[in-house]
Amino acid sequence: MMQTRTVLRSLRPGLNKFNATGGNLMLTRSLSDLPVDVDHAKGAWKTYGELDSYKPGKFQVGTFNKISAKGLEVFEPELYETLDGAKAVNAHAILLRSHKLKEEEVSYTVRAIARCGAGTNNVPVARMTELGIPVFNTPGANANAVKELVLCGLFLSSRRVVDGINHMKDLGTKGLAKERVEKDKAMFGGQEIKGKTLAVIGLGHIGSSTARDAGRMGMNIIGYDPGLSIESALKLPRNINLVDSIVSAVAKADYISINIPYIKGDPSEGGTHGVIGSDVIEHFKPNAVLLNFARGELVDSAAMKEFLDSGDGKYVSDFPDDLLWDHKNSVILPHLGASTEEAEDAAAAMAAETIRDFLENGTIKNSVNFPAATMAGRPDNSVRFTIVNKNEPGVLAKITETFAQNEMNILQQLNTSRGSIAYNVVDVAGAAAGGVTDFKKVQEMMTMAEGVISSRIIFGTPGMGYAKKLEGGEYFV
């Protein structure tokens, strides 16, 4: 059968004509032999920035912060270009670490955002969901680095190592170190962790590995996690004592490690802000040690100060604290948890792989706001559509009806949802033998349907085939 590709040079009014191959695409059903581009004219200059930054035929990834070079190697240079975020005005995806992302830094072209780390509180996730943009993280990529620092925190709090180091520096400046060392070491007595009890609050990647390795050092382990996964459960020591509440976990613990995500809002409303507050701390042993390598906001600083003032308890945190930074019973670190070369490499590589799989295949994995979605490879002689829509009754029917109206046959389809958002991956074959299919017409009909937010055609030239309905109702390609 002869393949036919007709490219029309007509562009929508108001769009700049700088895409030499821009226009409508018409294809027969058979697509396997000839290269096919699903080209879209570019939008207004104010949206796309300078023309020099736009390179047809490649995905553009904007990076904020210094991203590991090993991680960026995941992006094949033949298909991708990576630019500093401020210069990536045509970005198809954003990769960042701790940069606090603003909505105005997310252009209309952005399809996805990935953070090289587990937490995403520096990304306006709720707003990105409204805009139909999945936000990804890298759970487990820095787990070993954080776990090692948690274990370090155990020793720092048990043996008064920091106090001893500071004392030796002071003696050194006075020339008294050798003279006083044996006499003064009694000031820094401590205890061994073997045989002591560690309560681990949150048994995800970090918590489960912390429990496992602390158990191997002879500690008794108590664990609490209402959402314990099978994967994490398999990492736990066999003799762990799982309990049904935070209070039950901390009541008998000598050490407490908190490893849960920060969620804005009061715990009574499903949030975790100040989850370690006075109602939990009042159940601590008088000399208990709290290890916080999760998020500073999880702990009520005022309640913790009251606890530290009243006895021999200690607080080790990896986050700044304006109230506790100089308390004699606290050790405050400068957020070192994932600050290892290995963790940065692993997180960047995982984030880059996630972005690639999404852009090239429509796969969603490790998203904090979109449902997981994986579909088998696209069949021969087919085109893959992905559609983001509001999770409302009747929208899926409109999507499938659009294909039917244009005589397109659905070969395989995935529909899944999470909260207010729904996501579809659809592989379709074109018109019957002898006919032609205008894919851009189909995409515009679908994208402008009520309830649909955006759509992509994953076929041909990288970066092409994206359309969305702006909040004012304008069709954007």
Side-chain angles (χ1 to χ4, degrees):
M1 179 186 297
M2 180 180 294
Q3 285 99 3
T4 303
R5 185 177 72 168
T6 303
V7 179
L8 304 180
R9 300 236 176 227
S10 60
L11 300 175
R12 290 196 302 114
L15 296 185
N16 294 289
K17 301 180 181 180
F18 61 81
N19 181 357
T21 59
N24 292 327
L25 176 67
M26 292 186 176
L27 300 172
T28 61
R29 183 180 181 185
S30 181
L31 305 167
S32 58
D33 296 329
L34 292 178
V36 176
D37 293 335
V38 183
D39 295 341
H40 283 65
K42 303 297 286 184
W45 284 82
K46 65 180 180 180
T47 300
Y48 284 91
E50 296 299 327
L51 178 59
D52 290 343
S53 72
Y54 172 63
K55 294 182 179 179
K58 287 189 177 184
F59 290 113
Q60 186 179 104
V61 179
T63 62
F64 292 90
N65 309 117
K66 183 179 179 181
I67 306 297
S68 159
K70 287 187 177 180
L72 294 179
E73 288 175 0
V74 172
F75 295 121
E76 296 180 3
E78 296 81 10
L79 295 177
Y80 291 84
E81 64 168 346
T82 57
L83 296 173
D84 178 80
K87 298 178 181 179
V89 291
N90 302 304
H92 302 118
I94 290 174
L95 203 62
L96 76 166
R97 291 174 58 199
S98 58
H99 174 76
K100 192 170 182 61
L101 190 66
K102 303 178 181 63
E103 183 180 345
E104 53 266 30
E105 295 172 317
V106 183
S107 70
Y108 292 154
T109 54
V110 171
R111 286 87 152 144
I113 298 168
R115 181 177 182 268
C116 305
T120 55
N121 53 322
N122 58 319
V123 178
V125 176
R127 180 57 178 155
M128 293 303 102
T129 304
E130 293 175 353
L131 297 174
I133 300 174
V135 178
F136 300 97
N137 66 350
T138 58
N142 61 7
N144 186 69
V146 178
K147 174 210 67 179
E148 288 184 358
L149 202 60
V150 174
L151 298 180
C152 176
L154 282 171
F155 298 121
L156 289 176
S157 62
S158 300
R159 304 296 294 269
R160 299 193 63 184
V161 175
V162 175
D163 292 338
I165 292 172
N166 290 334
H167 184 67
M168 288 301 293
K169 287 183 177 180
D170 181 57
L171 291 179
T173 61
K174 300 174 182 177
L176 298 174
K178 291 184 178 180
E179 177 184 340
R180 297 279 298 274
V181 63
E182 291 300 324
K183 178 180 179 181
D184 289 1
K185 69 181 183 180
M187 298 165 55
F188 308 103
Q191 64 179 10
E192 298 180 15
I193 64 171
K194 184 177 180 179
K196 305 301 188 298
T197 297
L198 170 67
V200 182
I201 312 301
L203 296 167
H205 293 282
I206 297 170
S208 60
S209 57
T210 297
R212 177 196 62 204
D213 287 0
R216 289 172 176 173
M217 292 190 293
M219 300 191 78
N220 303 310
I221 310 299
I222 298 173
Y224 170 71
D225 190 333
L228 180 63
S229 69
I230 295 176
E231 179 184 4
S232 295
L234 292 174
K235 298 178 184 178
L236 297 175
R238 292 185 177 182
N239 60 346
I240 187 172
N241 177 22
L242 294 175
V243 296
D244 60 2
S245 70
I246 293 179
V247 169
S248 297
V250 306
K252 298 180 180 180
D254 302 298
Y255 300 85
I256 300 147
S257 176
I258 181 168
N259 308 280
I260 61 177
Y262 175 69
I263 303 172
K264 288 184 179 180
D266 189 85
S268 63
E269 300 173 349
T272 57
H273 187 94
V275 66
I276 305 299
S278 58
D279 57 333
V280 173
I281 294 174
E282 67 182 7
H283 295 279
F284 282 13
K285 288 184 174 181
N287 62 344
V289 176
L290 178 64
L291 307 164
N292 180 11
F293 292 83
R295 279 292 179 270
E297 297 89 346
L298 296 170
V299 176
D300 183 329
S301 297
M304 178 54 59
K305 183 179 185 303
E306 184 177 347
F307 170 72
L308 297 178
D309 288 343
S310 65
D312 296 324
K314 294 182 177 62
Y315 180 50
V316 182
S317 175
D318 199 25
F319 304 94
D321 193 304
D322 293 338
L323 190 60
L324 300 173
W325 65 274
D326 64 342
H327 197 286
K328 65 183 180 67
N329 287 338
S330 67
V331 177
I332 307 298
L333 305 177
H335 199 188
L336 300 177
S339 295
T340 68
E341 183 177 346
E342 295 87 347
E344 291 179 7
D345 289 347
M350 182 184 291
E353 288 166 357
T354 301
I355 288 293
R356 280 200 61 174
D357 207 7
F358 176 74
L359 292 178
E360 297 175 28
N361 303 305
T363 300
I364 294 181
K365 182 181 180 182
N366 296 329
S367 174
V368 299
N369 63 334
F370 268 54
T374 303
M375 195 162 78
R378 179 175 56 82
D380 292 339
N381 303 331
S382 69
V383 169
R384 175 162 291 185
F385 280 76
T386 67
I387 305 101
V388 179
N389 61 275
K390 297 176 182 177
N391 187 19
E392 297 174 350
V395 182
L396 179 59
K398 295 173 185 175
I399 293 171
T400 55
E401 179 62 23
T402 300
F403 290 125
Q405 289 176 358
N406 289 274
E407 299 183 356
M408 302 179 77
N409 183 36
I410 296 176
L411 303 180
Q412 59 178 350
Q413 177 180 4
L414 172 68
N415 169 261
T416 185
S417 63
R418 179 176 180 178
S420 63
I421 209 78
Y423 182 70
N424 305 269
V425 184
V426 187
D427 290 339
V428 299
V436 295
T437 300
D438 183 347
F439 281 87
K440 286 192 69 181
K441 174 186 174 183
V442 174
Q443 184 171 29
E444 182 167 359
M445 289 176 60
M446 182 180 306
T447 306
M448 295 305 289
E450 185 178 353
V452 174
I453 299 172
S454 65
S455 65
R456 284 197 299 148
I457 301 176
I458 303 178
F459 196 99
T461 305
M464 300 297 186
Y466 181 65
K468 70 188 307 180
K469 180 166 51 187
L470 303 182
E471 292 183 313
E474 179 186 356
Y475 181 62
F476 173 87
V477 291

